Amino acid sequence: MKILSCYSIKGGVGKTALAVNLAFALGEAGHRTLLLDLDPQGAASFYFRVDGADKFRMRDKQSLAEGLRRNIRESDYPGLDVVPSHLGYRHFDILLDGMSKRRSQLRRVLEEFKADYDVILIDCPPNITLLSENVFRASDAILVPVIPTVLSRRTLEQLAGFFKDQDLPAKLLRPFFSMVQKRSKMHREIMEELPAEQAGFLKTAIPFSADVEKMGLHRMPLLAYARACEAAKAYRALCQEILSESGL
Amino acid sequence: MLTFWDSFEWGIWFGGHLLYSCGGVYRLASRDHAEGWLGTVSCEERALGRRRFWEEFQSEPMRAKLEGMLGLRGLAPVAEGTFRLRRCDLRNQAGKIVCRLEWTAVCAGAKGEEQLLHSCRVLPLLGYEAEAARVAQYLSGQGASAPEDEPVRVLLRRAGRLPREYTLRPAFGLEMETPAREAVGRIVRKMLEIAQGNMPGILDDLDSEFLHDYRICLRKMRSVLSLVKEVYPAEGTRRMRDALGDLARQTNRLRDLDVYLLARGHYLGLLPPALRPALDEMFRDFSAEREKEVRRTASKLRGASNRRLFLELTEFFAKQTPHGPAPAADLPVGPLVYRAIYKRYRKIRSIAAGIGEDTPDETVHQLRIEGKKLRYLMEFFVELLPDKEGGAMQKVLRRLQGRLGDFNDASVQQKSLLDYWRRKRSGSELGLGLGGLVSILYQNQMQARSLIARELEGFCDPSTAAAFKRIFKLPASAPATDGQRTGRP
């Protein structure tokens, strides 16, 4: 079982679009996939039309695993289940704080799902907290969407700095370009420079697309309603790249 | 229209799967019904002609799965029917699918003349069980009732082909006190029934296992009559043993040819690649001879004299047939069997004591035959053996018999390959290939011999001997000497 997470400190960069479409593509490719929506905004759950999770008590590793399992919802698409978001996940931090080995507790919880899934994909909240750190330590790869702009470049550097400070392996970070506009000179330039400065960049870039923005209207993954558009093709290519790199 | 396939042993069904074909596509589905009555398709393959053995399939997953469930068995159609399947999704207010409805109409025959079943299933999505339960409740309220049986089973029942466990080692319901004639009769009747059940498969030549099992049944019947002695009058017993021997003999050559043809891959694998094509001619000869032999055997099996022999056997061993007195007829079978087992074991030990590097092959064969008698005894009367020790003893015996079998196979095969060469006497290529093969088989035989000695040590060691003695030696017998109790004679 591989654990992949979609993460960005900055909002509005295509993080949830990545989680939703990658989850769909993984399931479609025959991998039993669980999408864990840890972002309290619950956008991924919304796209899959899944209501918020039922409340459950998070006292320890066991109750957390049981609570998550009780909240698994089969999506409308093959091979893909979803654990919807819940406002209570805000308390994750406090819960984790109270546990021993508090920085690696999430990995232990997710190991309980090993028999049922090939991939667990986590949509993370856009901030750096104890929960994010747990997600980092649980993940086999952290997928970071980067819009080729100056500001995004800066946040990526911040994230790399945080990894260094916390002694987290830098090779977990797998950035890729998101919402790319080929006609923008600045986009093209940053896309040339940044991969040389920051290691681990995935080759596939996701183009900016009005179709992606319509996901909210359709309430389904882009890949389910506009399979042939450029962005959809790019998500599938990204999925293939991740699969071949993670040895799945 | 779907055609369902399975083997005589229902390997696919009991392997938890269904195999069906439709429009030239074979689909293998697990029989879990999670995704509908036709199971979850795990592999599929387009096939132009009919497929009989797992080797005839092309795709690797299909081959691997079928090999495990079929072995040497061939596929035959078990039922045909038309399935009409309609599905729809039920959604909640948010537009999320909460369950799926599946309507199935099952009809027998190609045109769907006779409708056997009409059903609707509610398939919940994980996490939406409560919603699905409400839908099911609503449907019941509208007069729907839960189906009594799954559609595939309904179809099989109509075809008169319900899956049945098949075994060559059935339970006979024996007890220590069962009168010997009754016990032997039960065993023979059951084996006779299994033998006859295998006959249609031999006539259709569906796979090699029908003949194999048929021969085992005949051998076992013959064997039980000599292992538990004097339960029927001597003259009748002799007549029946002769009849069984005659029946078995008719099929000897066909079985030999089956063995060679099944071992083709094994034989070729023993030779270096350069010598392999040399054996093509021999296998072609065997195949051609087999064609003729199948027809000859089938006509014998169908023939009047054969039917008469079976009739005679059936009548002789029928429960109500009166027989004259015989010394052991009414004795309880348990002590008789225990005595026979102990006697066999001691006989094996005495032969085993003389086995060494230069023992003649005949002595080793003798050992194998005695071992087989003991194995049959323990198999027929397994219900009378103590569970734990009986199982352990059978395990040791099986291992020994396996080695002895290897030895015997290698020796018999050398002989028959050389016979073939003497008859044929053509082509130096073939001679080269055969020579190579015979040498390797000889090496194998020698190797098997050295392994036999090791297995014998286990089988004859003092603790096994003590266990046999403790369990099977009855108090009425003369007390054992110290030598017998403590070591190999």
Side-chain angles (χ1 to χ4, degrees):
Chain A
M1 184 186 73
K2 297 280 177 195
I3 300 176
L4 307 174
S5 50
C6 306
Y7 181 77
S8 167
I9 308 180
K10 195 176 170 310
V13 296
K15 172 183 66 81
T16 298
L18 167 71
V20 168
N21 289 300
L22 183 58
F24 181 96
L26 284 166
E28 196 182 42
H31 300 280
R32 297 165 305 160
T33 304
L34 179 67
L35 174 63
L36 183 53
D37 187 0
L38 290 186
D39 188 343
Q41 292 176 50
S45 311
F46 174 80
Y47 288 136
F48 284 110
R49 304 174 185 241
V50 178
D51 293 339
D54 295 335
K55 240 173 135 171
F56 60 91
R57 290 180 68 177
M58 305 177 207
R59 272 175 315 206
D60 49 26
K61 182 187 138 200
Q62 208 50 41
S63 63
L64 189 55
E66 276 167 21
L68 290 176
R69 190 176 285 283
R70 235 190 0 261
N71 274 295
I72 294 176
R73 302 280 178 266
E74 189 175 336
S75 79
D76 292 0
Y77 310 104
L80 174 60
D81 293 346
V82 178
V83 173
S85 161
H86 189 265
L87 276 177
Y89 296 164
R90 289 169 307 163
H91 306 311
F92 256 135
D93 276 342
I94 306 165
L95 166 77
L96 294 168
D97 206 16
M99 289 178 174
S100 60
K101 300 203 175 115
R102 58 202 198 111
R103 282 167 213 286
S104 55
Q105 203 49 251
L106 187 63
R107 171 109 219 167
R108 288 158 206 276
V109 172
L110 296 183
E111 286 290 334
E112 305 263 318
F113 295 86
K114 214 160 150 183
D116 306 308
Y117 296 99
D118 303 318
V119 183
I120 293 184
L121 187 64
I122 305 175
D123 190 17
C124 305
N127 51 26
I128 296 189
T129 59
L130 188 56
L131 174 59
S132 327
E133 207 184 319
N134 258 277
V135 172
F136 297 154
R137 291 190 193 278
S139 301
D140 295 298
I142 298 150
L143 309 166
V144 188
V146 178
I147 304 177
T149 60
V150 179
L151 205 56
S152 292
R153 176 187 206 151
R154 197 175 148 262
T155 39
L156 183 58
E157 283 164 5
Q158 281 176 343
L159 182 59
F162 176 79
F163 265 59
K164 206 170 173 189
D165 293 345
Q166 295 299 314
D167 240 356
L168 282 156
K171 66 174 198 296
L172 289 182
L173 284 178
R174 301 308 306 267
F176 66 94
F177 289 112
S178 170
M179 300 170 81
V180 172
Q181 288 171 306
K182 282 256 168 72
R183 275 185 293 186
S184 153
K185 189 163 171 259
M186 182 185 65
H187 277 207
R188 289 201 304 273
E189 282 172 3
I190 293 182
M191 284 175 75
E192 288 239 325
E193 296 161 13
L194 197 48
E197 296 164 16
Q198 170 70 44
F201 252 91
L202 291 162
K203 288 190 189 70
T204 314
I206 309 292
F208 177 84
S209 159
D211 288 321
V212 177
E213 295 193 316
K214 286 183 196 145
M215 270 172 49
L217 293 175
H218 290 282
R219 286 191 75 178
M220 53 176 85
L222 172 73
L223 295 179
Y225 65 87
R227 294 185 62 80
C229 79
E230 287 305 311
K233 285 182 198 158
Y235 278 119
R236 273 199 294 275
L238 187 68
C239 175
Q240 282 313 315
E241 190 182 356
I242 293 165
L243 283 174
S244 67
E245 293 220 352
S246 58
L248 269 166
Chain B
M1 190 184 66
L2 302 182
T3 306
F4 291 86
W5 301 85
D6 214 323
S7 68
F8 180 66
E9 296 177 18
W10 294 91
I12 297 194
W13 180 274
F14 290 116
H17 285 76
L18 292 172
L19 179 70
Y20 53 89
S21 65
C22 176
V25 178
Y26 280 84
R27 291 196 174 85
L28 182 69
S30 65
R31 212 153 48 78
D32 56 14
H33 307 314
E35 289 194 9
W37 286 124
L38 285 172
T40 315
V41 175
S42 54
C43 21
E44 63 178 49
E45 183 171 323
R46 186 164 288 284
L48 287 174
R50 181 182 153 178
R51 299 275 155 98
R52 186 149 51 122
F53 297 106
W54 67 264
E55 298 102 314
E56 293 168 13
F57 287 86
Q58 306 296 320
S59 71
E60 208 32 64
M62 189 76 123
R63 288 166 65 91
K65 284 212 161 107
L66 289 181
E67 184 185 5
M69 292 186 281
L70 293 176
L72 296 172
R73 284 293 188 180
L75 290 166
V78 288
E80 282 183 338
T82 313
F83 275 63
R84 284 200 197 88
L85 220 70
R86 270 190 305 155
R87 276 185 178 171
C88 78
D89 300 330
L90 283 188
R91 294 172 186 270
N92 64 12
Q93 276 185 325
K96 169 82 185 76
I97 302 174
V98 292
C99 65
R100 297 195 163 96
L101 294 185
E102 181 187 271
W103 281 274
T104 317
V106 183
C107 306
K111 297 194 182 92
E113 303 85 6
E114 186 189 346
Q115 180 156 319
L116 299 172
L117 190 84
H118 191 99
S119 80
C120 171
R121 288 212 311 156
V122 182
L123 306 166
L125 264 61
L126 182 66
Y128 295 93
E129 290 77 9
E131 286 85 343
R134 268 168 48 210
V135 171
Q137 202 179 9
Y138 174 78
L139 289 174
S140 311
Q142 298 295 307
S145 61
E148 281 168 20
D149 223 339
E150 55 191 295
V152 179
R153 220 187 264 269
V154 170
L155 211 53
L156 287 172
R157 180 174 305 125
R158 190 186 171 278
R161 300 295 298 272
L162 276 181
R164 242 175 16 145
E165 297 268 8
Y166 169 81
T167 174
L168 278 175
R169 291 184 209 164
F172 304 107
L174 302 178
E175 285 166 18
M176 292 297 272
E177 309 305 321
T178 311
R181 184 177 286 171
E182 166 61 21
V184 171
R186 256 191 241 173
I187 292 171
V188 173
R189 283 194 291 275
K190 192 76 205 174
M191 296 322 286
L192 196 59
E193 183 193 320
I194 301 175
Q196 284 175 311
N198 274 292
M199 276 171 71
I202 305 176
L203 298 177
D204 293 345
D205 193 21
L206 184 60
D207 62 46
S208 59
E209 297 313 280
F210 290 99
L211 180 65
H212 173 255
D213 290 5
Y214 169 80
R215 287 168 56 84
I216 288 186
C217 292
L218 296 180
R219 198 183 310 137
K220 285 189 164 180
M221 286 187 261
R222 202 157 177 267
S223 209
V224 75
L225 291 177
S226 63
L227 290 173
V228 189
K229 290 191 195 321
E230 302 180 325
V231 293
Y232 289 101
E235 163 56 18
T237 308
R238 193 191 49 74
R239 236 174 350 105
M240 291 305 111
R241 278 179 48 82
D242 289 350
L244 289 163
D246 289 347
L247 285 170
R249 250 190 309 283
Q250 292 167 2
T251 62
N252 280 355
R253 184 62 189 154
L254 183 54
R255 178 60 196 165
D256 284 348
L257 290 166
D258 277 343
V259 170
Y260 298 131
L261 289 167
L262 286 172
R264 185 196 165 109
H266 173 66
Y267 280 165
L268 295 180
L270 291 176
L271 285 179
L275 289 185
R276 289 176 197 167
L279 292 186
D280 284 350
E281 189 187 341
M282 181 179 78
F283 286 115
R284 263 201 310 278
D285 283 350
F286 285 162
S287 291
E289 193 189 343
R290 188 182 182 280
E291 291 281 305
K292 279 190 219 138
E293 197 58 33
V294 165
R295 282 198 298 275
R296 203 188 62 81
T297 310
S299 87
K300 281 247 175 196
L301 284 181
R302 281 203 193 90
S305 80
N306 227 303
R307 282 208 304 274
R308 212 170 39 241
L309 283 178
F310 265 101
L311 195 66
E312 234 180 287
L313 284 163
T314 312
E315 279 176 2
F316 186 89
F317 291 105
K319 222 170 169 174
Q320 62 280 15
T321 306
H323 289 286
D330 299 320
L331 297 178
V333 76
L336 284 182
V337 166
Y338 273 38
R339 225 168 269 139
I341 288 178
Y342 192 53
K343 191 173 136 195
R344 288 290 149 215
Y345 177 72
R346 290 210 307 174
K347 183 146 187 191
I348 292 175
R349 263 176 57 111
S350 78
I351 299 176
I355 297 265
E357 288 293 309
D358 42 4
T359 317
D361 287 2
E362 278 62 41
T363 314
V364 184
H365 293 320
Q366 185 59 32
L367 184 67
R368 188 178 72 91
I369 288 165
E370 289 303 323
K372 199 172 220 167
K373 286 179 183 168
L374 179 59
R375 185 165 68 90
Y376 279 172
L377 269 174
M378 296 181 78
E379 238 176 69
F380 289 141
F381 299 101
V382 69
E383 293 156 299
L384 310 183
L385 306 185
D387 280 346
K388 204 174 127 211
E389 284 123 323
M393 284 169 174
Q394 279 184 301
K395 208 169 136 192
V396 187
L397 183 57
R398 254 202 303 276
R399 242 191 0 239
L400 173 63
Q401 285 296 101
R403 296 295 178 210
L404 288 164
D406 292 344
F407 177 85
N408 185 56
D409 288 351
S411 135
V412 170
Q413 284 163 8
Q414 286 170 61
K415 191 171 163 298
S416 70
L417 288 173
L418 289 172
D419 281 351
Y420 170 77
W421 171 243
R422 275 188 209 107
R423 277 203 312 278
K424 189 84 181 173
R425 288 226 179 269
S426 76
S428 49
E429 285 282 303
L430 177 63
L432 200 61
L434 274 175
L437 192 53
V438 169
S439 317
I440 298 168
L441 289 170
Y442 178 69
Q443 295 301 324
N444 289 354
Q445 188 190 353
M446 291 300 107
Q447 221 168 5
R449 175 181 285 227
S450 66
L451 293 171
I452 287 169
R454 197 186 308 162
E455 294 301 340
L456 272 176
E457 268 172 37
F459 190 68
C460 299
D461 73 4
S463 70
T464 313
F468 264 94
K469 188 170 177 183
R470 193 179 65 248
I471 296 168
F472 296 113
K473 186 168 186 207
L474 300 175
S477 312
T481 63
D482 279 354
Q484 277 174 324
R485 190 177 304 121
T486 51
R488 287 169 65 162

